[in-house]
Amino acid sequence: MPRKIKKGYFVKGHFVAEGSELDLELRAEQTGGEPSRTELKKESADLQKVGEALLTLRGDLFERLALPENLVTALEELRRISNFEGRRRQLQYVGKLMRLLEPQQQQAVRDALEEQRSGSAQQTLALHVAEKWRDDLIASDDALQAWLQAHPETDVQQLRALVRQARKDSVPTQDEVSRGEAPRRGRAYREIFQIVRDHLEQQEHE
């Protein structure tokens, strides 16, 4: 089977394959280090995505960026447009304005988006921790003792009363059994979660 011929060219008697490291170095020298058309296209598409993501950014983080007025106006217009083609053109314009930002400000935009993503992940994790504590407290006296040791400031009588009520509520009634339904979650179930969440948040900010 014949060997596939690589695409390339010769420089001073040496073959340079297209896409090779040497090829990229030579092209960079020819353009004075300027990015290629492909690189510019990729950067433009990336900045369009970053610009569109700005629509989801929290108000305080957005204000902190102090973006140019023309970019803020373009984003507001993008938010209003629902037509596909009109939105596509406006998004290209947003990408163009994003390219005009200083590199430091472009990075600040990316950092703000990442800060928001990280914060959302932390909030989700905190909810899962509170939910697990609630379920453990209802299921086990050992969990109740462990909670009280970790959070001695808790109103013990209130929490014990809520746990007892939640355990009663968790037993399905005859009607629920006959209909194959899970027992309803009562007020005690919700209040235990709120107590746990409040204490965990207070501990986090101490």
Side-chain angles (χ1 to χ4, degrees):
M1 184 176 179
R3 189 174 60 181
K4 187 176 180 181
I5 300 175
K6 290 183 179 180
K7 292 184 179 181
Y9 50 92
F10 285 90
V11 176
K12 296 180 180 180
H14 295 285
F15 180 75
V16 180
E18 287 188 3
S20 67
E21 188 174 344
L22 181 56
D23 175 43
L24 296 176
E25 289 178 3
L26 291 172
R27 289 180 186 276
E29 289 177 6
Q30 291 172 356
T31 59
E34 293 294 322
S36 67
R37 184 178 299 178
T38 302
E39 291 170 332
L40 287 173
K41 188 174 180 180
K42 183 177 182 300
E43 180 188 14
S44 177
D46 180 56
L47 287 173
Q48 282 184 35
K49 289 181 182 178
V50 173
E52 188 173 21
L54 277 171
L55 296 179
T56 68
L57 192 61
R58 219 170 55 226
D60 59 318
L61 294 176
F62 188 90
E63 291 294 330
R64 192 175 72 192
L65 291 172
L67 296 171
E69 186 176 346
N70 60 349
L71 178 54
V72 173
T73 302
L75 288 168
E76 291 173 350
E77 184 65 21
L78 178 62
R79 192 188 300 277
R80 288 193 293 267
I81 296 174
S82 57
N83 174 268
F84 176 81
E85 183 58 27
R87 188 175 178 82
R88 185 186 67 82
R89 289 197 300 268
Q90 184 67 13
L91 191 54
Q92 287 180 334
Y93 178 56
V94 168
K96 178 181 178 181
L97 294 177
M98 288 289 297
R99 288 197 300 277
L100 296 177
L101 296 177
E102 293 292 330
Q104 297 90 333
Q105 195 159 24
Q106 289 180 4
Q107 186 58 47
V109 170
R110 296 177 193 276
D111 290 344
L113 290 168
E114 181 58 34
E115 182 177 340
Q116 177 166 279
R117 279 192 291 268
S118 298
S120 297
Q122 290 172 357
Q123 289 172 359
T124 301
L125 178 61
L127 286 176
H128 288 328
V129 171
E131 288 169 352
K132 187 175 187 312
W133 265 115
R134 175 201 59 203
D135 294 344
D136 289 349
L137 286 167
I138 295 171
S140 165
D141 286 335
D142 290 340
L144 182 57
Q145 291 304 317
W147 172 267
L148 293 175
Q149 286 180 5
H151 304 274
E153 71 282 3
T154 305
D155 185 327
V156 180
Q157 290 186 337
Q158 180 192 25
L159 185 56
R160 286 186 186 277
L162 288 171
V163 167
R164 282 197 300 270
Q165 185 59 50
R167 288 174 180 174
K168 289 179 183 178
D169 294 342
S170 66
V171 179
T173 64
Q174 191 60 43
D175 288 341
E176 288 170 338
V177 171
S178 63
R179 291 195 299 266
E181 297 176 352
R184 295 180 181 179
R185 303 299 190 185
R187 179 182 58 82
Y189 183 84
R190 296 188 296 272
E191 288 191 11
I192 291 171
F193 175 79
Q194 193 59 52
I195 288 173
V196 167
R197 189 177 178 186
D198 288 347
H199 278 80
L200 291 176
E201 286 183 351
Q202 183 179 355
Q203 184 181 53
E204 184 180 343
H205 291 107
E206 285 178 353

